[in-house]
Amino acid sequence: MTPAIETILSHRSIRKFTDQAITDEQRNAIIDSARAASTSSFIQCNSIIRVIDKEKRQLLAEYAGNQAYVADAAEFFVFCADFNRHLQIKPDAQVGFAEQTLIGAVDGALMAQNALIAAESLGLGGVYIGGLRNNPDKVANLLKLPEQVIPLFGLCIGYPSQDPEVKPRLPSELVVHTDEYSAMDKAVLENYDSKVREYYRTRTGGNKEMSWSEQISGTLSKEARPFMKAFLESKGFSTK
């Protein structure tokens, strides 16, 4: 395998960091890697907010569900979908379409994935913070996000002070289909559920034993963030 593939396959979410700072050269390389990501129709509809103010970091940690590593990590970036820049270029630009919301989310994810892979290749670690969407209005106000800019998620980056196992992903048999969508192989799922249950048991010292099927059954038993549609519309997204 190539070093790039080895870096990708060894990904773990890091939630504990040392106090060591990231160099300007490292940070610039991470940001440049994010900027190099593919962008739909060359629209380039994303912005990154680097948050260094300690008070704002602490508030963002609280908004995200009291995730302390948001405040503790060497770097914290907020990835945003951004069509405000386009309105500054063309004030009568046609924005607000649902497709543009998708483009902003997809392109933002591509940028963030590039950033984290670059960071991991430098010996750093990180974790994405979707919890910012628990309080998107407060995040937007804190970061002074204008019309047509929404926070998608955050990204903590720093030197790891933990060494967690690689979390088992769905096997290719359940993810990859050929020519058409095929029925799920229940035997493959059961085997995967066993691996996930063992992963949690080992990771938590026996305090948590849950299969993937059990986990998503709980997650999808209720609506997540029911306020999100109204927030998107309030910022001018998905109104058409």
Side-chain angles (χ1 to χ4, degrees):
M1 288 192 294
T2 66
I5 293 174
E6 290 177 351
T7 296
I8 292 169
L9 294 181
S10 62
H11 165 72
R12 293 90 42 80
S13 290
I14 300 298
R15 294 178 173 84
K16 293 182 180 179
F17 302 93
T18 71
D19 295 331
Q20 185 175 352
I22 293 174
T23 66
D24 291 344
E25 183 180 14
Q26 289 173 320
R27 183 176 60 255
N28 290 338
I30 291 167
I31 292 174
D32 287 345
S33 295
R35 291 172 46 245
S38 297
T39 169
S40 178
S41 300
F42 204 46
I43 293 177
Q44 301 187 90
C45 58
N46 296 95
S47 287
I48 302 171
I49 310 293
R50 180 191 177 209
V51 185
I52 60 176
D53 181 273
K54 291 184 178 180
E55 184 177 347
K56 288 187 176 182
R57 282 275 208 105
Q58 186 59 49
L59 285 171
L60 290 172
E62 294 173 10
Y63 296 162
N66 296 312
Q67 299 187 60
Y69 27 94
V70 172
D72 298 339
E75 295 284 343
F76 185 67
F77 302 114
V78 178
F79 287 80
C80 302
D82 179 3
F83 283 92
N84 183 273
R85 181 165 50 236
H86 305 77
L87 288 174
Q88 294 181 55
I89 297 169
K90 183 177 173 56
D92 61 347
Q94 296 297 301
V95 296
F97 296 98
E99 170 66 6
Q100 292 169 342
T101 305
L102 289 175
I103 291 173
V106 170
D107 285 10
L110 293 175
M111 290 182 73
Q113 185 70 356
N114 267 20
L116 185 52
I117 290 173
E120 291 173 338
S121 75
L122 295 170
L124 304 168
V127 62
Y128 295 112
I129 307 297
L132 290 184
R133 297 193 302 278
N134 291 343
N135 291 284
D137 51 346
K138 292 182 179 180
V139 173
N141 290 336
L142 182 68
L143 302 180
K144 297 183 179 180
L145 303 184
E147 182 80 358
Q148 284 294 326
V149 181
I150 55 172
L152 298 172
F153 49 83
L155 174 60
C156 298
I157 293 178
Y159 282 93
S161 66
Q162 62 177 172
D163 187 24
E165 298 178 48
V166 175
K167 200 170 191 176
R169 295 300 199 263
L170 280 168
S172 60
E173 296 94 326
L174 298 181
V175 176
V176 181
H177 306 257
T178 302
D179 290 332
E180 60 185 29
Y181 197 92
S182 54
M184 181 169 59
D185 188 324
K186 296 297 182 63
V188 174
L189 177 62
E190 289 176 5
N191 184 56
Y192 176 65
D193 276 338
S194 296
K195 290 182 178 179
V196 172
R197 184 178 286 106
E198 177 61 19
Y199 165 81
Y200 279 129
R201 188 192 66 77
T202 302
R203 174 179 167 180
T204 65
N207 291 323
K208 178 179 180 178
E209 293 192 27
M210 179 180 290
S211 71
W212 183 72
S213 293
E214 291 169 339
Q215 181 172 333
I216 63 166
S217 294
T219 301
L220 300 181
S221 64
K222 59 185 182 299
E223 183 180 6
R225 300 179 178 122
F227 47 79
M228 188 56 66
K229 186 175 185 294
F231 171 74
L232 290 174
E233 292 176 346
S234 75
K235 300 297 283 185
F237 282 76
S238 296
T239 61
K240 306 171 188 175

